[in-house]
Amino acid sequence: MVKSCRRLVQLELKSCRISHPDVSFEQILLLAAAVLESPSLRKLDIVDCPKLGPKSITHLCEALKDTGVTHLSLEGVDLRNEGLKSLTQLLRDRDAAGHRIKALSLEGSIFHDRSTVATDEAPMMATTEPMQDIVWKDFVSVACQTLESLDLSRNQLSRAGQISDLANGISSRKSPCRLLALLLSNNPIGDSGMDILCQGLKRNRTMVLLACAECELSAQSSHFLTDALRSNPSLQRLYLYGNKEWDRTSTNNNEEWKYW
C-alpha cells in the first residue's frame, strides 16, 4: 500500500484501484494523505475490502472534499450509518463547492449481512447494526440531486420504504434530479417494489438508463414499466436480464428496450 500511495503521487495518476481483503485502517489513512497530494486523480475505486468500516470511510471522505475526484467506488466495504452519513455530507459539500462527484458505486456496501465479518477498526464490535431509515432517506435525496450515476447493486434492497425513498428521489417533483443512470441489479425488489419505483419514473425527466437485472421480477413488472414509459420521455435503456417469467411481448414497442 505504501508503494501504491507513492506511485499515486509521483506518477500523477488519473485513476486508482485498491482491492484486497486485508486493507487496514492505517493503510486507508496513507491513501487519504496521498489522495490530497494528487491533483490529477479523477477516479478512485476501493473494491472488496471487507475490513474497512465507517471510521475508514469517514477519514477518506474528509480527504476527498478538496480533490478533483469525480468517480468514486466503495464496493464491498462496511459503510453502516456513520459511513453513509459521511458520504452524504461529502456529496453535499462537493456540490456546494461547484465540484460535484458525478458517479458513485456502493455495490454490496449498504444493506447486507456483515454478521460474520469483523472490521479492522473494531474487531470485537457487533456487526449487525441496522441502517437507519433517516440516514438512508437523506443519502438518497442528496445522491439523486447531485450525482449523474448511482450504483446500488447487491444491497438487498427490498423494503417498501427503501424503494419509496428511491422513487421520491428520482421523481423530480420536490427537487431537481440529476441522475442519468440508476443501477439496482441483484436486489430482491420484486414486482411490488417495481410498482413503487415506476411511480417515480413517471415523473422523472433525466434518467436514460435503469438496470434491474436479477431483481426477482415477473411479467407483471412489464406492465408497470410500460405504463411509466408512456409518461417518461428520457429513459432509453433497461437492463432486465435474469428475471423470471419475463414477457417481452408486453413491452411498449415505441420505446427502446435493451436486454443484456
Side-chain angles (χ1 to χ4, degrees), residues 8 27-39 41 44 46 54-70 72 86-87 89-91 93-94 99 101:
L8 181 62
Q27 290 171 326
I28 284 296
L29 291 182
L30 289 175
L31 176 62
V35 165
L36 280 171
E37 298 178 25
S38 306
L41 188 65
L44 177 61
I46 298 180
K55 189 176 179 180
S56 299
I57 302 305
T58 297
H59 278 274
L60 190 61
C61 286
E62 285 295 324
L64 288 170
K65 285 182 181 180
D66 299 314
T67 70
V69 172
T70 57
L72 176 64
S86 298
L87 194 53
Q89 191 59 47
L90 171 64
L91 297 180
D93 290 344
R94 287 284 298 270
H99 301 289
I101 291 178

Coordinates of all heavy atoms in Angstrom, one line a residue, residues 8 27-39 41 44 46 54-70 72 86-87 89-91 93-94 99 101:
L8 N 1.0 6.9 -6.7 CA -0.2 7.7 -6.9 C 0.2 9.2 -7.0 O -0.2 10.0 -7.9 CB -1.2 7.5 -5.8 CG -2.5 8.3 -5.9 CD1 -3.3 8.0 -7.2 CD2 -3.4 8.1 -4.7
Q27 N -3.7 1.8 6.6 CA -3.4 1.9 5.1 C -4.3 2.9 4.4 O -3.9 3.6 3.5 CB -3.4 0.6 4.5 CG -2.3 -0.3 4.9 CD -2.5 -1.8 4.4 OE1 -3.6 -2.3 4.3 NE2 -1.4 -2.4 4.1
I28 N -5.6 3.0 4.9 CA -6.5 3.9 4.3 C -6.1 5.4 4.7 O -6.3 6.3 3.9 CB -7.9 3.6 4.8 CG1 -8.5 2.4 4.0 CG2 -8.9 4.8 4.6 CD1 -8.7 2.6 2.5
L29 N -5.5 5.6 5.9 CA -5.0 6.9 6.2 C -3.9 7.3 5.3 O -3.8 8.5 4.9 CB -4.6 6.9 7.7 CG -5.6 6.7 8.8 CD1 -5.0 6.8 10.2 CD2 -6.7 7.8 8.7
L30 N -3.1 6.4 4.9 CA -2.0 6.7 4.0 C -2.6 7.0 2.6 O -2.1 8.0 2.0 CB -1.1 5.4 3.8 CG -0.1 5.1 5.0 CD1 0.6 3.8 4.7 CD2 0.8 6.2 5.2
L31 N -3.6 6.3 2.2 CA -4.2 6.6 0.9 C -4.9 7.9 0.9 O -4.8 8.7 0.0 CB -5.3 5.5 0.6 CG -6.1 5.7 -0.6 CD1 -5.3 5.7 -1.9 CD2 -7.2 4.6 -0.7
A32 N -5.6 8.3 2.0 CA -6.2 9.6 2.1 C -5.2 10.7 2.0 O -5.5 11.7 1.3 CB -6.9 9.7 3.5
A33 N -4.0 10.6 2.6 CA -3.0 11.6 2.5 C -2.5 11.7 1.1 O -2.2 12.8 0.6 CB -1.8 11.2 3.4
A34 N -2.3 10.5 0.4 CA -1.9 10.5 -1.0 C -2.9 11.2 -1.9 O -2.5 11.9 -2.9 CB -1.6 9.1 -1.4
V35 N -4.1 10.9 -1.7 CA -5.2 11.5 -2.5 C -5.2 13.0 -2.4 O -5.3 13.7 -3.4 CB -6.6 11.0 -2.0 CG1 -7.7 11.8 -2.6 CG2 -6.8 9.5 -2.5
L36 N -4.9 13.6 -1.2 CA -4.8 15.0 -1.1 C -3.7 15.6 -1.9 O -3.7 16.8 -2.2 CB -4.6 15.3 0.4 CG -5.9 15.3 1.3 CD1 -5.6 15.5 2.7 CD2 -6.9 16.4 0.8
E37 N -2.6 14.8 -2.1 CA -1.4 15.3 -2.8 C -1.5 14.9 -4.3 O -0.4 15.0 -5.0 CB -0.2 14.7 -2.2 CG 0.0 15.2 -0.7 CD 1.3 14.5 -0.1 OE1 2.2 14.2 -0.9 OE2 1.3 14.4 1.1
S38 N -2.6 14.5 -4.8 CA -2.7 14.0 -6.2 C -3.8 14.8 -6.9 O -4.9 14.3 -7.1 CB -3.0 12.5 -6.2 OG -2.1 11.8 -5.5
P39 N -3.5 16.0 -7.4 CA -4.5 16.9 -8.0 C -5.0 16.3 -9.3 O -6.1 16.7 -9.8 CB -3.7 18.2 -8.3 CG -2.3 17.8 -8.3 CD -2.2 16.7 -7.3
L41 N -5.9 13.1 -9.8 CA -6.7 11.9 -9.6 C -8.2 12.3 -9.9 O -8.7 13.2 -9.3 CB -6.6 11.4 -8.2 CG -7.3 10.1 -7.9 CD1 -6.6 9.0 -8.7 CD2 -7.2 9.8 -6.4
L44 N -11.4 7.0 -8.2 CA -10.9 6.2 -7.1 C -11.8 5.0 -6.8 O -13.0 5.2 -6.6 CB -10.8 7.0 -5.9 CG -10.3 6.3 -4.6 CD1 -8.9 5.7 -4.8 CD2 -10.3 7.3 -3.4
I46 N -12.3 1.6 -4.5 CA -12.0 0.8 -3.4 C -13.0 -0.4 -3.4 O -14.1 -0.2 -3.1 CB -12.0 1.5 -2.0 CG1 -11.0 2.7 -2.1 CG2 -11.7 0.6 -0.9 CD1 -11.0 3.5 -0.8
P54 N -16.8 2.2 8.9 CA -17.2 3.6 8.8 C -16.1 4.6 9.2 O -16.1 5.7 8.6 CB -18.4 3.7 9.7 CG -18.3 2.5 10.6 CD -17.7 1.4 9.8
K55 N -15.3 4.2 10.1 CA -14.2 5.1 10.5 C -13.3 5.4 9.3 O -12.9 6.5 9.1 CB -13.4 4.5 11.7 CG -12.4 5.5 12.3 CD -11.8 4.8 13.5 CE -10.7 5.8 14.2 NZ -10.1 5.1 15.4
S56 N -12.9 4.3 8.6 CA -12.0 4.5 7.4 C -12.7 5.4 6.4 O -12.1 6.2 5.8 CB -11.7 3.1 6.8 OG -11.1 2.3 7.7
I57 N -14.0 5.1 6.1 CA -14.7 5.8 5.1 C -14.9 7.3 5.5 O -14.7 8.2 4.6 CB -16.1 5.2 4.9 CG1 -16.0 3.7 4.5 CG2 -16.9 6.0 3.8 CD1 -15.1 3.5 3.3
T58 N -15.1 7.6 6.8 CA -15.2 9.0 7.2 C -13.9 9.7 7.0 O -13.9 10.9 6.5 CB -15.5 9.0 8.7 OG1 -16.8 8.4 8.9 CG2 -15.5 10.4 9.2
H59 N -12.7 9.1 7.3 CA -11.4 9.8 7.0 C -11.2 10.0 5.5 O -10.7 11.0 5.1 CB -10.3 8.9 7.6 CG -10.1 9.1 9.1 ND1 -9.3 10.1 9.6 CD2 -10.6 8.5 10.1 CE1 -9.3 10.1 10.9 NE2 -10.1 9.1 11.3
L60 N -11.6 9.0 4.7 CA -11.4 9.1 3.3 C -12.3 10.2 2.7 O -11.9 11.0 1.9 CB -11.8 7.8 2.6 CG -11.4 7.7 1.1 CD1 -9.9 7.8 0.9 CD2 -11.9 6.3 0.6
C61 N -13.5 10.3 3.2 CA -14.5 11.4 2.7 C -13.9 12.8 3.1 O -14.1 13.7 2.3 CB -15.8 11.2 3.4 SG -16.8 9.8 2.6
E62 N -13.3 12.9 4.2 CA -12.7 14.2 4.6 C -11.6 14.6 3.6 O -11.5 15.8 3.2 CB -12.1 14.1 6.0 CG -13.2 14.1 7.1 CD -13.9 15.4 7.2 OE1 -13.3 16.5 6.9 OE2 -15.1 15.4 7.5
A63 N -10.8 13.6 3.2 CA -9.7 13.9 2.3 C -10.3 14.2 0.9 O -9.8 15.1 0.2 CB -8.8 12.7 2.2
L64 N -11.4 13.6 0.5 CA -11.9 13.8 -0.8 C -12.7 15.1 -1.0 O -13.0 15.5 -2.2 CB -12.9 12.6 -1.2 CG -12.3 11.3 -1.4 CD1 -13.4 10.2 -1.5 CD2 -11.5 11.3 -2.7
K65 N -12.9 15.8 0.0 CA -13.7 17.1 -0.1 C -12.9 18.1 -0.9 O -13.5 18.9 -1.6 CB -13.9 17.7 1.3 CG -15.0 17.0 2.1 CD -15.3 17.6 3.4 CE -16.4 16.9 4.2 NZ -16.7 17.5 5.5
D66 N -11.6 18.1 -0.8 CA -10.7 19.1 -1.5 C -9.9 18.5 -2.7 O -8.8 18.9 -2.9 CB -9.8 19.7 -0.5 CG -10.5 20.5 0.6 OD1 -11.5 21.2 0.3 OD2 -10.2 20.3 1.8
T67 N -10.5 17.5 -3.4 CA -9.8 16.9 -4.5 C -10.7 17.0 -5.8 O -11.8 17.5 -5.8 CB -9.6 15.4 -4.2 OG1 -10.9 14.7 -4.3 CG2 -8.9 15.2 -2.9
G68 N -10.1 16.6 -6.9 CA -10.8 16.6 -8.2 C -11.5 15.3 -8.5 O -11.9 15.1 -9.7
V69 N -11.5 14.4 -7.6 CA -12.1 13.0 -7.9 C -13.6 13.2 -8.2 O -14.4 13.8 -7.5 CB -12.0 12.1 -6.7 CG1 -12.8 10.8 -6.9 CG2 -10.5 11.8 -6.4
T70 N -14.0 12.7 -9.4 CA -15.4 12.8 -9.9 C -16.1 11.4 -9.9 O -17.3 11.3 -10.0 CB -15.5 13.4 -11.3 OG1 -14.7 12.6 -12.2 CG2 -14.9 14.8 -11.2
L72 N -16.3 7.7 -7.9 CA -15.9 7.0 -6.7 C -16.6 5.7 -6.5 O -17.8 5.7 -6.7 CB -16.2 7.9 -5.5 CG -16.0 7.4 -4.1 CD1 -14.5 7.1 -3.9 CD2 -16.5 8.4 -3.0
S86 N -21.2 10.2 6.4 CA -20.0 11.0 5.9 C -20.1 11.1 4.4 O -19.7 12.1 3.8 CB -18.8 10.2 6.3 OG -18.7 10.2 7.7
L87 N -20.5 10.0 3.7 CA -20.6 10.0 2.3 C -21.6 11.0 1.8 O -21.4 11.8 0.8 CB -20.9 8.6 1.8 CG -20.7 8.3 0.3 CD1 -19.3 8.7 -0.2 CD2 -21.0 6.9 0.0
Q89 N -22.6 13.7 3.4 CA -22.0 15.1 3.6 C -21.0 15.4 2.5 O -20.9 16.6 2.1 CB -21.4 15.2 5.0 CG -21.0 16.6 5.4 CD -22.2 17.5 5.4 OE1 -23.3 17.2 6.0 NE2 -22.1 18.7 4.8
L90 N -20.2 14.4 2.1 CA -19.2 14.7 1.0 C -19.9 15.1 -0.3 O -19.5 16.1 -0.9 CB -18.4 13.4 0.8 CG -17.5 13.4 -0.5 CD1 -16.4 14.5 -0.3 CD2 -16.9 12.0 -0.7
L91 N -21.0 14.4 -0.6 CA -21.7 14.8 -1.8 C -22.3 16.2 -1.7 O -22.3 17.0 -2.7 CB -22.9 13.8 -2.1 CG -22.5 12.3 -2.4 CD1 -23.7 11.5 -2.6 CD2 -21.6 12.2 -3.6
D93 N -21.2 18.7 0.3 CA -20.1 19.7 0.3 C -19.5 19.9 -1.1 O -19.3 21.1 -1.5 CB -19.0 19.3 1.3 CG -19.5 19.3 2.7 OD1 -20.5 20.0 3.0 OD2 -18.8 18.7 3.5
R94 N -19.3 18.8 -1.8 CA -18.7 19.0 -3.2 C -19.7 19.7 -4.1 O -19.3 20.5 -5.0 CB -18.4 17.6 -3.7 CG -17.1 17.0 -3.1 CD -15.8 17.6 -3.5 NE -15.7 17.4 -5.0 CZ -15.0 16.4 -5.5 NH1 -14.5 15.4 -4.7 NH2 -14.9 16.2 -6.8
H99 N -18.0 21.5 -7.4 CA -17.1 20.4 -8.0 C -17.8 19.0 -7.6 O -17.3 18.3 -6.8 CB -15.7 20.5 -7.4 CG -15.0 21.8 -7.7 ND1 -14.6 22.1 -9.0 CD2 -14.7 22.8 -6.9 CE1 -14.0 23.3 -9.0 NE2 -14.1 23.8 -7.7
I101 N -19.2 15.3 -7.3 CA -18.9 13.9 -7.7 C -20.0 13.4 -8.7 O -21.2 13.6 -8.4 CB -18.8 13.0 -6.4 CG1 -17.6 13.4 -5.6 CG2 -18.8 11.5 -6.8 CD1 -17.5 12.6 -4.3

